[in-house]
Amino acid sequence: TMSKEMSFAPIGAHNSGLVISSAVTITIPTYATQWMVQALTQNVRFTLDGTPPTATLGFQLKAGDPPLILSVSPGLALKVIEEAATASLQYQFGGN
């Protein structure tokens, strides 16, 4: 079997402590092609088309799962929200 290594070169600062008790838009940096993201303490929801996520709408990031790397591009309407109080979202944009 062949395995493909995914490269990740960080762009900008690591982000944590974002208050996401209501839907928040995350701006994608100009040269970013990837988003590494992880939910801690509580599950987090996100959308990619500008639809405001809710505690039950959007793709789910489960608290404590390993970081996930998604392909992104500037102009993408990335929005996040916590499913329950005290969620912590850790993220870093990158390129490859």
Side-chain angles (χ1 to χ4, degrees), residues 12-70:
H14 178 93
N15 292 275
S16 65
L18 182 67
V19 176
I20 55 175
S21 53
S22 59
V24 173
T25 300
I26 296 177
T27 303
I28 300 168
T30 303
Y31 300 105
T33 59
Q34 297 169 312
W35 185 45
M36 181 181 290
V37 61
Q38 184 177 34
L40 303 175
T41 65
Q42 299 291 341
N43 296 340
V44 172
R45 296 280 180 154
F46 70 95
T47 59
L48 302 169
D49 66 353
T51 301
T54 68
T56 58
L57 173 71
F59 297 106
Q60 185 183 59
L61 295 169
K62 290 205 173 256
D65 276 1
L68 176 67
I69 298 175
L70 298 172

Side-chain angles (χ1 to χ4, degrees), residues 69-91:
I69 298 175
L70 298 172
S71 294
V72 295
S73 59
L76 189 70
L78 178 58
K79 293 183 181 262
V80 298
I81 195 169
E82 64 191 11
E83 282 189 7
T86 74
S88 173
L89 184 69
Q90 305 286 315
Y91 68 94

